[in-house]
Amino acid sequence: RRIVYSCGLRRARSRSTLALIVGVLIALQVSASDHIDGPVTTSHRVADLTDLYAFPTPDRRGSLTVILDAYPLVPEQGHFTDKVNYTIYVRRASIVDDGGRTFFETGDEVALTCTFRTPEVTADHVVTCRTSNGASARSAYEVVPVRAKGLGFRVYSGMRADPFFFNADFATDALEGKLAAPDDDNVMTGVSILTIVVEIDLQRLFRNPPAMLAVAAETTTRDAPGAPLRRLDRVGRPEITNVSLAARNAPDLRDRFNRERPFGAPAATVQLFQARLAENIAFYDGLDGRRDWKDADRGRLATLMAADFLVVDFTRPCRPQSFLEIETALLRHKAHETCGGRRPDDDIMDTLFSLYVAGLSGRRVRDGVDHPAASLSPRFPYLAAPDLGVWNGLKAWIARRVLSIPDSR
């Protein structure tokens, strides 16, 4: 199945209300970041992971912040469910140089699993997050907990404005073999998601905290009490499924990718993903009429991206647009300069397409959308409150109908 970001009407330039509604709603047929990335996740909306962010807590030394977003186009009455487990995996990570071949090595995993108690009244819902080594935190739905002295672990859950931002037409054109001009046309304006925001001291995760961490996440469920866990979705770096593994008239690998446990896919399966990644990077590399990737370097990049996790370095500063800086420095055989990871204001679409299209040349490829639609906060839980006005509610409602997304509660 061909992956598309928008179809039908490409833009609505008319100022009439009807034309604008139609244009925005057609554009909302998106597979943004990790949104709507395969038939399985599309049928389990509350378990559809849209984005993962991981970065050193800005105002607390030695603390990790993770933001895990789910349920794209969530309706106003939507909420989390007690049927789904949301698990964040954190591992020690390091860069290994094996005779000139550099790569990431991970180990010593801690799993942080968040579950929900969901009585009939949404305001009474409670999230509890527990680590596999015994730490826990709890909070009521939509309540921002204060930082308790000596605890070093807090969690928020609720509905927020979706921080992801991109130009849907630009992405669609790229998938179809065309490099479009940048245009400030953010299709995610007014869209909401559910979010879990965790802040935890590294000492709560590891007795001897490492300098570098690898972070990924998944959702799981049980088909009956006592049944084995069944994986519904996973996420590490953004745009692995919808851009990097795009089918382009080949078999759709997204559901197969999402069924694999983070850090645990079999070698043969990883090789399948690496081959598709290398093929697609070669395709994107030609969009500007130049060939910037050598075969060997393209293979190294495909190997890095197939190992789908964010890398965070606590010894480096978090500068603007740190996403993929550690990975690209590794490919250049140079020391990285930033904390890496991913923050909500990182322009990941520009960074990713710049890497795929222009290689390591440093040339910037822009889609024209440079920041989230709603202003972020510098403080926990960082994401803006949702705009639940009639206009945005109508957009989301029609988009869910067009995409056959159930209004699951």
Side-chain angles (χ1 to χ4, degrees):
R1 187 176 74 172
R2 188 169 65 90
I3 310 304
V4 296
Y5 279 81
S6 61
C7 62
L9 291 177
R10 302 291 289 233
R11 293 182 178 89
R13 296 306 184 195
S14 168
R15 291 299 177 185
S16 74
T17 301
L18 179 60
L20 188 57
I21 288 177
V22 171
V24 171
L25 293 176
I26 296 297
L28 275 172
Q29 296 189 59
V30 298
S31 299
S33 190
D34 203 67
H35 302 56
I36 314 172
D37 62 327
V40 170
T41 58
T42 301
S43 63
H44 296 85
R45 305 313 307 144
V46 74
D48 184 352
L49 298 175
T50 64
D51 282 289
L52 175 68
Y53 306 88
F55 50 92
T57 304
D59 59 348
R60 188 177 180 88
R61 185 178 178 84
S63 175
L64 172 69
T65 293
V66 179
I67 301 173
L68 183 60
D69 294 341
Y71 201 155
L73 297 165
V74 62
E76 183 175 355
Q77 73 275 17
H79 56 72
F80 286 100
T81 174
D82 58 5
K83 303 295 191 299
V84 175
N85 306 307
Y86 301 81
T87 301
I88 300 162
Y89 295 102
V90 183
R91 286 191 170 198
R92 294 179 183 270
S94 60
I95 297 174
V96 176
D97 188 335
D98 182 13
R101 186 176 68 94
T102 53
F103 56 91
F104 294 111
E105 185 174 75
T106 70
D108 292 343
E109 179 179 279
V110 176
L112 193 160
T113 300
C114 298
T115 56
F116 287 83
R117 182 173 62 83
T118 56
E120 184 64 26
V121 179
T122 303
D124 295 336
H125 292 188
V126 174
V127 60
T128 301
C129 297
R130 296 183 175 88
T131 68
S132 54
N133 58 6
S136 65
R138 176 180 299 180
S139 68
Y141 188 72
E142 299 279 17
V143 172
V144 179
V146 298
R147 183 182 286 159
K149 186 176 181 179
L151 182 60
F153 188 6
R154 59 174 169 166
V155 58
Y156 165 85
S157 68
M159 187 180 298
R160 292 273 148 167
D162 194 331
F164 186 67
F165 55 99
F166 82 131
N167 181 330
D169 288 330
F170 182 95
T172 301
D173 285 340
L175 290 172
E176 295 174 349
K178 174 186 174 183
L179 194 61
D183 183 16
D184 188 6
D185 183 14
N186 184 9
V187 72
M188 305 305 290
T189 301
V191 175
S192 301
I193 42 82
L194 299 180
T195 190
I196 299 170
V197 185
V198 172
E199 178 187 288
I200 185 167
D201 287 356
L202 298 184
Q203 293 284 353
R204 293 274 176 170
L205 294 170
F206 300 100
R207 180 170 298 178
N208 298 304
M212 183 178 288
L213 297 177
V215 184
E218 70 175 7
T219 48
T220 57
T221 190
R222 297 183 190 277
D223 295 324
L229 285 174
R230 178 165 60 89
R231 189 166 296 104
L232 298 172
D233 198 9
R234 67 154 164 157
V235 62
R237 298 183 185 93
E239 293 297 357
I240 295 300
T241 45
N242 287 326
V243 168
S244 305
L245 291 174
R248 296 194 310 103
N249 300 316
D252 191 342
L253 298 179
R254 294 176 301 165
D255 279 347
R256 184 166 181 177
F257 185 86
N258 288 329
R259 283 197 299 267
E260 299 296 341
R261 185 191 187 279
F263 302 106
T269 305
V270 173
Q271 290 172 4
L272 175 67
F273 301 145
Q274 290 171 348
R276 173 66 60 81
L277 281 159
E279 176 185 338
N280 283 344
I281 294 167
F283 171 79
Y284 295 127
D285 186 19
L287 294 185
D288 60 354
R290 303 176 52 155
R291 289 292 176 184
D292 293 286
W293 283 105
K294 296 179 180 178
D295 289 346
D297 289 338
R298 186 175 68 248
R300 293 175 64 221
L301 174 58
T303 299
L304 283 178
M305 301 303 279
D308 187 25
F309 50 80
L310 296 174
V311 183
V312 185
D313 190 332
F314 283 79
T315 68
R316 299 288 195 274
C318 288
R319 298 171 184 163
Q321 310 307 322
S322 293
F323 172 67
L324 284 186
E325 193 273 333
I326 299 177
E327 289 88 338
T328 54
L330 187 152
L331 291 168
R332 290 187 174 103
H333 301 284
K334 295 183 177 180
H336 59 278
E337 299 178 351
T338 74
C339 70
R342 182 189 178 195
R343 297 186 298 178
D345 58 351
D346 281 339
D347 192 343
I348 65 95
M349 295 300 286
D350 283 7
T351 298
L352 196 67
F353 277 117
S354 296
L355 183 62
Y356 286 174
V357 175
L360 299 173
S361 67
R363 297 195 310 276
R364 195 70 177 168
V365 175
R366 296 185 59 247
D367 69 354
V369 183
D370 300 325
H371 54 79
S375 297
L376 301 171
S377 170
R379 295 179 294 276
F380 185 94
Y382 306 102
L383 306 188
D387 183 346
L388 300 177
V390 174
W391 174 258
N392 290 334
L394 178 61
K395 287 193 300 184
W397 183 84
I398 297 179
R400 288 193 300 274
R401 295 304 176 273
V402 170
L403 292 166
S404 300
I405 300 174
D407 290 337
S408 56
R409 288 177 56 83

